[in-house]
Amino acid sequence: DAGVTQSPTHLIKTRGQQVTLRCSPKSGHDTVSWYQQALGQGPQFIFQYYEEEERQRGNFPDRFSGHQFPNYSSELNVNALLLGDSALYLCASSFLPTGTGGREQYFGPGTRLTVT
Amino acid sequence: GENVEQHPSTLSVQEGDSAVIKCTYSDSASNYFPWYKQELGKRPQLIIDIRSNVGEKKDQRIAVTLNKTAKHFSLHITETQPEDSAVYFCAAPTGFQKLVFGTGTRLLVSP
């Protein structure tokens, strides 16, 4: 049973470029959340996808966008990269049964993005 | 607004001692409180969680307590071992499963 996977592991981009990060959720999970973790800080919520729709969004600009595919995998796109976008990008998957309430979220290994 | 405060930021203990990390949350609707352990260069790993209908949960050397009235929850590690050294994050959900994380506690267990 595969856990959450992410690709690529590391990425180096220059300012102004665009990047796409990918995430495959844990088997049986249908919800993917993306987080940005700057060095020495806790993960910051970017957005969450469920049923191929963005369900909730954190305080990130529109340069950050995403997509979820029918197989529940997800992509995070960042346009017009800034130096401050350098961080570890984590995706977390969970299963959303009927009703609301917190559910266990399991993190992937992350993609380390460096913007020069 | 949504906020999770975590203390202390660093904690140094001797092997075998106990360690306690405390968090306070602001969203009274939060009903699930996970703790994550993150070793250097690795992903956050879910180590224990508690739901709002329970006051305490224990898993071997790790326990979590919750006081919903005070909006406090704490992680307790007993008989600490060097491999417990890591950064620990508490979190609380707000809205639709959005996790808000604390600022982290760097735990150092010295042999």
Side-chain angles (χ1 to χ4, degrees), chain A residues 3-5 31 33 35 37 40-45 48 50 55-59 88 90 94-97 99-110 112, chain B residues 2 6 29-34 36 38 40-47 49 51 57 87 89-104 106:
Chain A
V4 183
T5 60
T31 303
S33 303
Y35 293 83
Q37 186 176 26
Q41 298 182 20
Q44 299 292 314
F45 179 83
Q48 183 180 79
Y50 171 67
R55 296 298 294 266
Q56 195 165 2
R57 189 177 183 92
N59 295 325
L88 179 67
L90 296 159
S94 55
F95 171 65
L96 184 66
T100 58
R103 295 291 183 268
E104 296 87 346
Q105 293 189 23
Y106 295 94
F107 283 89
R112 173 73 61 187
Chain B
E2 315 137 350
Q6 183 172 347
S30 295
N31 58 5
Y32 168 73
F33 306 91
Y36 288 85
Q38 188 173 29
L40 190 62
K42 296 190 176 181
R43 76 187 78 187
Q45 179 187 3
L46 179 65
I47 57 172
D49 54 22
R51 300 191 182 277
K57 182 178 179 181
V87 179
F89 292 99
C90 62
T94 186
F96 191 77
Q97 290 195 45
K98 167 186 173 180
L99 280 181
V100 178
F101 283 80
T103 49
R106 184 172 301 278

Coordinates of all heavy atoms in Angstrom, one line a residue, chain A residues 3-5 31 33 35 37 40-45 48 50 55-59 88 90 94-97 99-110 112, chain B residues 2 6 29-34 36 38 40-47 49 51 57 87 89-104 106:
Chain A
G3 N 2.2 5.0 0.2 CA 1.9 6.2 0.9 C 1.8 7.3 -0.1 O 1.7 7.2 -1.3
V4 N 1.8 8.5 0.4 CA 1.7 9.7 -0.4 C 3.1 9.9 -1.1 O 4.1 9.8 -0.5 CB 1.4 11.0 0.5 CG1 1.3 12.2 -0.4 CG2 0.2 10.7 1.3
T5 N 3.0 10.1 -2.4 CA 4.2 10.4 -3.2 C 4.2 11.7 -3.8 O 3.1 12.2 -4.2 CB 4.5 9.3 -4.2 OG1 3.4 9.3 -5.1 CG2 4.5 7.9 -3.6
T31 N -8.8 13.3 -0.9 CA -8.6 14.7 -0.6 C -7.1 15.0 -0.6 O -6.4 14.3 0.1 CB -9.3 15.1 0.7 OG1 -10.7 14.8 0.6 CG2 -9.1 16.6 0.9
S33 N -4.3 18.1 0.1 CA -4.0 19.5 0.6 C -2.6 19.8 0.3 O -1.7 18.9 0.4 CB -4.3 19.6 2.1 OG -5.6 19.3 2.4
Y35 N 0.7 22.3 1.2 CA 1.3 23.2 2.3 C 2.7 23.7 1.8 O 3.4 23.0 1.1 CB 1.5 22.5 3.6 CG 0.2 22.1 4.2 CD1 -0.5 20.9 3.9 CD2 -0.4 22.9 5.3 CE1 -1.7 20.5 4.5 CE2 -1.6 22.5 5.9 CZ -2.2 21.3 5.5 OH -3.4 20.9 6.1
Q37 N 6.3 25.0 3.4 CA 7.0 25.0 4.7 C 8.3 25.7 4.4 O 9.3 25.2 3.8 CB 7.2 23.6 5.2 CG 7.9 23.7 6.6 CD 8.0 22.3 7.3 OE1 8.1 21.3 6.6 NE2 8.1 22.3 8.6
G40 N 12.6 26.4 9.0 CA 12.4 26.7 10.4 C 11.0 27.1 10.8 O 10.8 27.5 11.9
Q41 N 10.1 26.9 9.9 CA 8.7 27.2 10.2 C 7.8 26.0 10.1 O 8.1 25.0 9.5 CB 8.2 28.4 9.3 CG 9.0 29.7 9.5 CD 8.5 30.8 8.6 OE1 7.3 30.8 8.2 NE2 9.3 31.8 8.4
G42 N 6.5 26.2 10.6 CA 5.6 25.2 10.4 C 4.9 25.2 9.0 O 5.0 26.3 8.3
P43 N 4.3 24.2 8.5 CA 3.6 24.2 7.2 C 2.5 25.2 7.2 O 1.8 25.4 8.2 CB 3.1 22.7 7.1 CG 3.9 21.9 8.0 CD 4.3 22.8 9.2
Q44 N 2.4 25.9 6.1 CA 1.3 26.9 5.9 C 0.4 26.4 4.8 O 0.9 26.0 3.7 CB 1.9 28.2 5.4 CG 2.9 28.9 6.5 CD 2.1 29.3 7.7 OE1 1.1 29.9 7.6 NE2 2.7 29.0 8.9
F45 N -0.9 26.4 5.1 CA -1.9 25.8 4.1 C -2.0 26.7 2.9 O -2.2 27.9 3.0 CB -3.2 25.8 4.9 CG -4.4 25.2 4.1 CD1 -4.6 23.9 3.9 CD2 -5.3 26.1 3.5 CE1 -5.6 23.4 3.2 CE2 -6.3 25.7 2.8 CZ -6.5 24.3 2.6
Q48 N -6.8 23.2 -0.8 CA -7.2 21.8 -0.7 C -8.1 21.4 -1.8 O -9.0 22.2 -2.2 CB -7.9 21.6 0.6 CG -8.3 20.2 0.9 CD -9.0 20.1 2.3 OE1 -10.2 20.4 2.4 NE2 -8.3 19.6 3.3
Y50 N -10.8 18.5 -3.4 CA -11.7 17.4 -3.2 C -12.7 17.3 -4.3 O -13.3 18.4 -4.7 CB -12.5 17.5 -1.8 CG -13.5 16.5 -1.6 CD1 -13.2 15.1 -1.4 CD2 -14.9 16.9 -1.5 CE1 -14.2 14.2 -1.2 CE2 -15.9 15.9 -1.3 CZ -15.5 14.6 -1.2 OH -16.5 13.7 -0.9
R55 N -11.5 23.4 -2.5 CA -12.6 23.5 -1.5 C -12.2 24.6 -0.5 O -13.1 25.2 0.1 CB -12.7 22.2 -0.7 CG -13.2 21.0 -1.5 CD -14.6 21.3 -2.1 NE -15.6 21.3 -1.0 CZ -16.3 20.3 -0.6 NH1 -16.1 19.1 -1.1 NH2 -17.2 20.4 0.4
Q56 N -11.0 24.9 -0.3 CA -10.6 25.9 0.7 C -9.2 26.4 0.3 O -8.4 25.7 -0.3 CB -10.5 25.3 2.1 CG -10.5 26.3 3.2 CD -10.8 25.7 4.6 OE1 -11.0 24.5 4.7 NE2 -10.8 26.5 5.6
R57 N -8.9 27.7 0.6 CA -7.7 28.3 0.2 C -7.1 29.1 1.4 O -7.9 29.7 2.1 CB -7.9 29.2 -1.0 CG -6.7 29.7 -1.6 CD -7.0 30.6 -2.8 NE -5.7 31.0 -3.5 CZ -5.1 30.4 -4.5 NH1 -5.7 29.2 -4.9 NH2 -4.0 30.8 -5.0
G58 N -5.8 29.0 1.5 CA -5.1 29.8 2.5 C -4.8 31.2 1.9 O -5.2 31.6 0.8
N59 N -3.9 31.9 2.6 CA -3.6 33.3 2.2 C -2.4 33.3 1.3 O -1.3 33.8 1.6 CB -3.2 34.1 3.5 CG -4.4 34.3 4.4 OD1 -5.6 34.4 3.9 ND2 -4.2 34.3 5.7
L88 N 9.9 24.2 1.1 CA 9.6 22.7 0.9 C 8.0 22.7 0.7 O 7.3 23.3 1.5 CB 9.9 21.9 2.2 CG 9.5 20.5 2.2 CD1 10.4 19.7 1.1 CD2 9.7 19.8 3.6
L90 N 4.8 20.6 0.5 CA 4.3 19.3 1.0 C 2.8 19.1 0.5 O 2.0 20.1 0.6 CB 4.3 19.3 2.5 CG 5.7 19.3 3.2 CD1 5.5 19.8 4.6 CD2 6.3 18.0 3.2
S94 N -5.9 12.8 2.6 CA -6.9 12.4 3.7 C -8.1 11.8 3.0 O -8.3 11.9 1.8 CB -7.2 13.5 4.6 OG -7.8 14.6 3.9
F95 N -8.9 11.2 3.8 CA -10.2 10.6 3.3 C -11.3 11.4 3.9 O -11.3 11.6 5.2 CB -10.3 9.1 3.6 CG -11.6 8.5 3.3 CD1 -12.1 8.5 2.0 CD2 -12.4 8.1 4.4 CE1 -13.3 7.9 1.8 CE2 -13.7 7.6 4.1 CZ -14.1 7.5 2.8
L96 N -12.2 11.8 3.1 CA -13.3 12.6 3.6 C -14.6 11.8 3.6 O -15.3 11.7 2.5 CB -13.5 13.9 2.8 CG -14.6 14.8 3.4 CD1 -14.2 15.4 4.7 CD2 -14.8 16.0 2.4
P97 N -15.0 11.2 4.7 CA -16.3 10.5 4.7 C -17.4 11.6 4.8 O -17.1 12.8 4.8 CB -16.2 9.7 6.0 CG -15.3 10.5 6.9 CD -14.3 11.1 6.0
G99 N -20.0 14.2 6.1 CA -19.9 15.0 7.3 C -18.6 15.7 7.4 O -17.7 15.4 6.7
T100 N -18.5 16.7 8.2 CA -17.3 17.5 8.4 C -16.5 17.0 9.6 O -16.8 15.9 10.1 CB -17.6 19.0 8.6 OG1 -18.5 19.1 9.7 CG2 -18.4 19.5 7.3
G101 N -15.6 17.7 9.9 CA -14.7 17.2 11.1 C -13.4 16.9 10.6 O -13.1 16.5 9.5
G102 N -12.4 17.1 11.5 CA -11.0 16.8 11.2 C -10.7 15.4 10.9 O -11.3 14.5 11.4
R103 N -9.9 15.2 9.9 CA -9.5 13.8 9.6 C -7.9 13.7 9.5 O -7.3 14.7 9.3 CB -10.0 13.4 8.2 CG -11.5 13.3 8.2 CD -12.0 12.2 9.0 NE -13.5 12.0 8.9 CZ -14.3 12.6 9.8 NH1 -13.9 13.3 10.8 NH2 -15.6 12.4 9.7
E104 N -7.4 12.5 9.7 CA -6.0 12.4 9.6 C -5.5 12.8 8.2 O -6.0 12.4 7.2 CB -5.6 10.9 9.9 CG -6.0 10.4 11.2 CD -7.4 9.9 11.3 OE1 -8.2 10.1 10.4 OE2 -7.7 9.2 12.3
Q105 N -4.4 13.6 8.2 CA -3.7 13.9 7.0 C -2.3 13.4 7.0 O -1.6 13.6 8.0 CB -3.7 15.5 6.8 CG -5.1 16.1 6.7 CD -5.0 17.6 6.3 OE1 -4.0 18.0 5.7 NE2 -6.1 18.3 6.5
Y106 N -1.9 12.7 5.9 CA -0.6 12.1 5.8 C 0.2 12.8 4.8 O -0.3 13.0 3.7 CB -0.8 10.6 5.5 CG -1.4 9.8 6.6 CD1 -2.8 9.6 6.6 CD2 -0.7 9.3 7.7 CE1 -3.4 8.9 7.6 CE2 -1.3 8.6 8.7 CZ -2.7 8.4 8.7 OH -3.3 7.7 9.7
F107 N 1.4 13.2 5.2 CA 2.2 14.0 4.3 C 3.1 13.2 3.4 O 3.6 12.1 3.7 CB 3.1 14.9 5.1 CG 2.4 16.1 5.7 CD1 1.8 16.0 6.9 CD2 2.3 17.3 4.9 CE1 1.1 17.1 7.4 CE2 1.6 18.4 5.5 CZ 1.0 18.3 6.7
G108 N 3.3 13.7 2.2 CA 4.3 13.2 1.3 C 5.7 13.7 1.7 O 5.8 14.5 2.6
P109 N 6.7 13.2 1.0 CA 8.1 13.6 1.3 C 8.4 15.0 1.0 O 9.4 15.6 1.4 CB 9.0 12.6 0.5 CG 8.1 12.2 -0.6 CD 6.7 12.2 -0.1
G110 N 7.6 15.7 0.1 CA 7.9 17.1 -0.2 C 8.7 17.3 -1.4 O 9.4 16.4 -1.9
R112 N 11.5 20.1 -2.6 CA 12.3 21.2 -2.2 C 12.5 22.2 -3.4 O 13.2 21.8 -4.4 CB 13.6 20.8 -1.7 CG 14.6 21.9 -1.3 CD 14.3 22.6 -0.1 NE 14.2 21.8 1.1 CZ 13.8 22.2 2.3 NH1 13.4 23.5 2.4 NH2 13.8 21.4 3.3
Chain B
E2 N -7.8 32.5 12.9 CA -7.2 31.2 13.2 C -5.8 31.3 13.7 O -5.0 32.0 13.0 CB -7.3 30.4 11.9 CG -8.5 30.5 11.1 CD -8.3 30.6 9.6 OE1 -7.1 30.8 9.2 OE2 -9.3 30.5 8.9
Q6 N 2.2 27.6 20.2 CA 2.9 26.5 20.7 C 4.1 26.9 21.5 O 4.9 27.8 21.2 CB 3.4 25.6 19.5 CG 4.1 24.3 19.9 CD 4.4 23.4 18.7 OE1 3.8 23.6 17.6 NE2 5.2 22.4 18.8
A29 N -14.5 25.9 16.9 CA -15.1 24.8 16.2 C -14.2 23.7 15.9 O -14.6 22.6 15.4 CB -15.7 25.4 14.8
S30 N -12.9 23.9 16.2 CA -11.9 22.8 16.0 C -12.3 21.6 16.8 O -12.7 21.7 17.9 CB -10.5 23.3 16.4 OG -10.1 24.3 15.5
N31 N -12.2 20.4 16.1 CA -12.7 19.2 16.8 C -11.7 18.0 16.7 O -12.0 16.9 17.0 CB -14.0 18.7 16.3 CG -14.0 18.5 14.8 OD1 -12.9 18.6 14.2 ND2 -15.1 18.2 14.2
Y32 N -10.5 18.3 16.2 CA -9.5 17.3 15.9 C -8.1 17.9 16.1 O -7.9 19.0 15.5 CB -9.7 16.7 14.5 CG -8.6 15.8 14.0 CD1 -8.4 14.5 14.5 CD2 -7.7 16.3 13.0 CE1 -7.4 13.7 14.0 CE2 -6.7 15.5 12.6 CZ -6.5 14.2 13.1 OH -5.5 13.4 12.6
F33 N -7.2 17.2 16.8 CA -6.0 17.9 17.2 C -4.8 16.9 17.0 O -4.6 16.0 17.8 CB -6.0 18.4 18.6 CG -7.2 19.3 18.8 CD1 -8.4 18.8 19.3 CD2 -7.1 20.6 18.6 CE1 -9.5 19.6 19.5 CE2 -8.2 21.5 18.8 CZ -9.4 21.0 19.2
P34 N -4.1 17.0 15.9 CA -3.0 16.1 15.6 C -1.7 16.6 16.0 O -1.5 17.9 16.2 CB -3.0 15.9 14.1 CG -3.5 17.3 13.6 CD -4.5 17.8 14.7
Y36 N 2.5 16.2 15.0 CA 3.4 15.7 14.0 C 4.8 15.8 14.5 O 5.2 16.8 15.2 CB 3.3 16.5 12.7 CG 2.0 16.2 11.9 CD1 0.8 16.9 12.2 CD2 2.0 15.2 10.9 CE1 -0.4 16.7 11.5 CE2 0.8 15.0 10.2 CZ -0.3 15.7 10.5 OH -1.5 15.4 9.8
Q38 N 8.7 15.9 13.0 CA 9.5 16.1 11.8 C 11.0 16.1 12.1 O 11.5 16.9 12.7 CB 9.1 17.4 11.1 CG 9.7 17.6 9.7 CD 9.2 18.8 9.0 OE1 8.8 19.8 9.6 NE2 9.2 18.8 7.6
L40 N 14.9 16.1 10.7 CA 15.6 17.0 9.7 C 15.6 16.4 8.3 O 16.0 15.3 8.1 CB 17.0 17.2 10.2 CG 17.8 18.3 9.4 CD1 17.2 19.6 9.6 CD2 19.3 18.3 9.9
G41 N 15.0 17.2 7.4 CA 15.0 16.9 6.0 C 13.9 15.9 5.6 O 13.8 15.4 4.5
K42 N 13.0 15.6 6.6 CA 12.0 14.6 6.3 C 10.6 15.2 6.4 O 10.4 16.3 6.8 CB 12.1 13.4 7.3 CG 13.4 12.6 7.1 CD 13.4 11.3 7.9 CE 14.7 10.5 7.6 NZ 14.7 9.3 8.4
R43 N 9.6 14.4 6.0 CA 8.2 14.8 6.1 C 7.7 14.9 7.5 O 8.1 14.1 8.3 CB 7.4 13.9 5.2 CG 7.0 12.5 5.9 CD 6.3 11.6 5.0 NE 7.2 10.9 4.1 CZ 6.8 10.2 3.1 NH1 5.5 9.9 2.9 NH2 7.7 9.6 2.2
P44 N 6.7 15.7 7.8 CA 6.0 15.6 9.1 C 5.3 14.3 9.2 O 4.6 13.8 8.2 CB 5.0 16.8 9.0 CG 5.5 17.7 8.0 CD 6.2 16.8 7.0
Q45 N 5.4 13.6 10.3 CA 4.9 12.3 10.5 C 3.8 12.4 11.6 O 4.2 12.8 12.7 CB 6.0 11.3 10.9 CG 5.5 9.9 11.1 CD 6.6 9.0 11.7 OE1 7.7 9.4 11.9 NE2 6.3 7.7 11.9
L46 N 2.6 12.0 11.3 CA 1.6 12.0 12.3 C 1.9 10.9 13.4 O 2.1 9.8 13.1 CB 0.2 11.6 11.7 CG -1.0 11.6 12.6 CD1 -1.3 12.9 13.2 CD2 -2.2 11.0 11.8
I47 N 2.0 11.4 14.7 CA 2.4 10.5 15.8 C 1.2 10.2 16.7 O 1.1 9.1 17.3 CB 3.6 11.0 16.6 CG1 3.3 12.4 17.1 CG2 4.8 11.0 15.7 CD1 4.4 12.9 18.1
D49 N -3.1 11.7 17.7 CA -4.1 12.7 17.5 C -5.3 12.5 18.5 O -5.3 11.4 19.1 CB -4.7 12.8 16.1 CG -5.2 11.4 15.6 OD1 -5.5 10.5 16.4 OD2 -5.3 11.2 14.4
R51 N -9.5 13.6 19.4 CA -10.8 14.3 18.9 C -11.4 14.9 20.1 O -11.2 14.6 21.3 CB -11.7 13.2 18.3 CG -11.0 12.6 17.0 CD -12.0 11.8 16.2 NE -11.2 11.3 15.1 CZ -10.9 11.9 14.0 NH1 -11.3 13.2 13.8 NH2 -10.2 11.3 13.0
K57 N -5.6 10.7 25.4 CA -5.3 9.6 24.6 C -3.9 9.2 24.7 O -3.0 10.1 24.8 CB -5.6 9.8 23.1 CG -5.4 8.7 22.1 CD -5.8 9.1 20.7 CE -5.6 7.9 19.7 NZ -6.0 8.3 18.4
V87 N 11.6 18.0 15.6 CA 10.7 19.2 15.7 C 9.3 18.6 15.8 O 8.9 17.8 14.9 CB 10.9 20.2 14.6 CG1 9.9 21.3 14.8 CG2 12.3 20.7 14.5
F89 N 5.2 19.5 15.9 CA 4.2 20.5 15.5 C 2.9 20.0 16.0 O 2.5 18.9 15.8 CB 4.1 20.7 14.0 CG 5.3 21.3 13.4 CD1 6.3 20.6 12.8 CD2 5.5 22.7 13.4 CE1 7.4 21.2 12.2 CE2 6.6 23.3 12.9 CZ 7.6 22.5 12.2
C90 N 2.1 20.9 16.7 CA 0.7 20.7 16.9 C -0.1 21.4 15.8 O 0.5 22.2 15.1 CB 0.3 21.3 18.3 SG 0.5 23.1 18.4
A91 N -1.3 21.0 15.6 CA -2.1 21.6 14.6 C -3.6 21.5 15.0 O -4.0 20.6 15.8 CB -1.9 20.9 13.2
A92 N -4.4 22.3 14.4 CA -5.8 22.3 14.7 C -6.5 22.7 13.4 O -6.0 23.5 12.6 CB -6.2 23.3 15.8
P93 N -7.6 22.0 13.1 CA -8.3 22.3 11.8 C -9.2 23.5 11.9 O -9.8 23.8 13.0 CB -9.1 21.0 11.6 CG -9.5 20.6 12.9 CD -8.3 20.9 13.8
T94 N -9.4 24.2 10.8 CA -10.4 25.3 10.8 C -11.0 25.2 9.4 O -10.4 24.8 8.4 CB -9.7 26.6 11.0 OG1 -10.7 27.6 11.1 CG2 -8.7 27.0 9.9
G95 N -12.3 25.5 9.3 CA -13.0 25.4 8.1 C -13.0 23.9 7.6 O -13.2 23.0 8.4
F96 N -12.8 23.7 6.3 CA -12.9 22.4 5.8 C -11.6 21.7 5.8 O -10.9 21.6 4.8 CB -13.4 22.6 4.3 CG -13.9 21.3 3.7 CD1 -15.1 20.7 4.0 CD2 -13.1 20.7 2.7 CE1 -15.5 19.6 3.4 CE2 -13.5 19.5 2.1 CZ -14.7 18.9 2.5
Q97 N -11.2 21.1 6.9 CA -10.0 20.3 7.0 C -8.7 21.1 6.8 O -7.7 20.5 6.6 CB -10.0 19.1 6.1 CG -11.0 18.1 6.5 CD -10.7 16.8 5.8 OE1 -9.5 16.3 5.7 NE2 -11.7 16.1 5.2
K98 N -8.8 22.4 6.8 CA -7.5 23.2 6.7 C -6.8 23.1 8.1 O -7.4 23.5 9.1 CB -7.9 24.7 6.4 CG -6.7 25.6 6.6 CD -7.2 27.1 6.4 CE -6.1 28.1 6.7 NZ -6.5 29.4 6.6
L99 N -5.6 22.6 8.1 CA -4.8 22.5 9.3 C -4.0 23.8 9.5 O -3.3 24.2 8.6 CB -3.9 21.3 9.2 CG -4.5 19.9 9.5 CD1 -3.4 18.8 9.5 CD2 -5.2 19.9 10.9
V100 N -4.1 24.3 10.7 CA -3.3 25.4 11.1 C -2.2 24.9 12.1 O -2.6 24.3 13.1 CB -4.1 26.6 11.7 CG1 -3.2 27.7 12.2 CG2 -5.2 27.1 10.8
F101 N -1.0 25.1 11.7 CA 0.1 24.5 12.5 C 0.7 25.5 13.5 O 0.7 26.7 13.3 CB 1.2 24.0 11.6 CG 0.9 22.7 10.9 CD1 0.2 22.7 9.8 CD2 1.4 21.5 11.4 CE1 -0.1 21.5 9.1 CE2 1.2 20.3 10.8 CZ 0.4 20.3 9.6
G102 N 1.1 25.0 14.7 CA 1.9 25.7 15.6 C 3.3 26.0 15.0 O 3.6 25.5 13.9
T103 N 4.1 26.8 15.7 CA 5.4 27.2 15.2 C 6.4 26.2 15.5 O 7.6 26.3 15.0 CB 5.8 28.5 15.9 OG1 5.6 28.4 17.3 CG2 4.9 29.7 15.4
G104 N 6.1 25.1 16.2 CA 7.1 24.0 16.3 C 7.9 24.1 17.6 O 8.2 25.2 18.1
R106 N 11.5 22.4 19.0 CA 12.6 21.6 18.8 C 13.0 20.8 20.0 O 13.4 21.5 21.0 CB 13.8 22.4 18.3 CG 15.0 21.6 17.9 CD 16.1 22.5 17.2 NE 15.6 23.2 16.0 CZ 15.5 22.6 14.8 NH1 15.9 21.4 14.7 NH2 15.0 23.3 13.8

